[in-house]
Amino acid sequence: MNAKFPLSIAVLGSGKGSNFQAITDTIQNGSLNARIVCVLSDVADAFILERARRLGIPADYIDPAPYKTKLDGAAELKTIKRLRHYRADLIVLAGFMRMLKSRLLAAFSGRIINIHPALLPAFPGLESWKQALTYGVKITGCTVHFVDAGMDTGAIILQKAVPVLDQDTPETLHARIQEQEYIAYPEAIRLLIDGQCGAWKKS
Ligand code: GAR
């Protein structure tokens, strides 16, 4: 891989940002050769923005209006502009709850990854831990994958499995999956940095 290091990572998130925190912690303890150049959110009061600001990382809200489920139109163009401004090499979706559209995918082709709280291709979409409980599977987990135009369909980088216990509630199962997410996401980024992932390309 022909990358500059530390690798410049932009994080997009809509929620509490615990995966962003796990990646940041791994960078700070010296085991990931990367830096977070910005955090962008489609939710004005998302805690991920607050976490970033406390760490002195540029954190911008991007108004997604008028779209409810996708990043399109003016919001997509603004996002591309911000990502270019901060010279992001890798775009990391961490609880970002919108579908990415073609201009952003083309602008950062092969350089956008996501974490999903299930063992894809099982249970794509929303609240996958609830889908797993409803279906009655005994093992679920998390998946780090490249982002393409589909819903959680891109090439898989790595997965971690967790057991589903008889007494699980949606909350306990999601918490167990998240513990593995905090290990999986830094590990997947390290695979990219180390050139251990064939599908990875850098501009
Ligand atoms: C994570 O569990 C992540 O896998 C999930 O949202 C949570 C975000 O938590 N993402 C999706 O469901 C995407 N389809 P966080 O904001 O604390 O990192």
Side-chain angles (χ1 to χ4, degrees):
M1 177 175 66
N2 177 27
K4 297 188 289 335
F5 293 102
L7 191 72
S8 295
I9 295 176
V11 177
L12 272 61
S14 308
K16 69 182 196 288
S18 63
N19 276 286
F20 158 66
Q21 187 72 55
I23 294 165
T24 302
D25 291 347
T26 312
I27 292 171
Q28 283 180 347
N29 77 23
S31 45
L32 203 54
N33 192 8
R35 66 192 181 106
I36 309 283
V37 292
C38 67
V39 170
L40 306 179
S41 181
D42 58 325
V43 177
D45 61 354
F47 190 56
I48 192 171
L49 290 174
E50 177 62 25
R51 285 187 200 260
R53 289 179 186 128
R54 287 181 193 172
L55 291 162
I57 295 171
D60 298 343
Y61 164 62
I62 294 183
D63 183 352
Y67 302 104
K68 297 254 183 277
T69 58
K70 61 184 180 177
L71 189 66
D72 208 346
E76 183 189 45
L77 289 176
K78 187 171 177 192
T79 302
I80 293 170
K81 218 170 153 183
R82 297 316 284 157
L83 294 172
R84 288 193 171 135
H85 172 78
Y86 290 114
R87 298 181 186 279
D89 281 325
L90 179 69
I91 317 305
V92 166
L93 307 188
F96 189 66
M97 304 312 283
R98 285 176 186 272
M99 294 283 291
L100 300 190
K101 303 307 290 177
S102 56
R103 278 178 300 196
L104 181 53
L105 292 171
F108 294 93
S109 170
R111 293 190 286 142
I112 310 178
I113 64 175
N114 180 46
I115 191 154
H116 183 75
L119 294 176
L120 292 171
F123 310 131
L126 296 177
E127 298 189 320
S128 307
W129 58 92
K130 288 188 185 169
Q131 297 184 50
L133 274 181
T134 302
Y135 198 93
V137 295
K138 301 301 176 196
I139 295 175
T140 185
C142 63
T143 303
V144 182
H145 64 95
F146 286 99
V147 176
D148 63 14
M151 167 86 79
D152 303 320
T153 50
I156 290 172
I157 301 169
L158 69 78
Q159 296 182 301
K160 301 268 181 204
V162 306
V164 182
L165 306 180
D166 289 345
Q167 65 273 24
D168 265 332
T169 63
E171 293 71 30
T172 60
L173 181 56
H174 190 207
R176 191 175 312 112
I177 293 169
Q178 287 226 279
E179 282 173 24
Q180 292 305 309
E181 290 186 332
Y182 306 151
I183 300 167
Y185 225 168
E187 202 174 309
I189 295 168
R190 195 174 303 114
L191 286 178
L192 300 181
I193 289 173
D194 292 348
Q196 299 295 312
C197 185
W200 163 251
K201 74 177 180 198
K202 185 184 170 296
S203 64

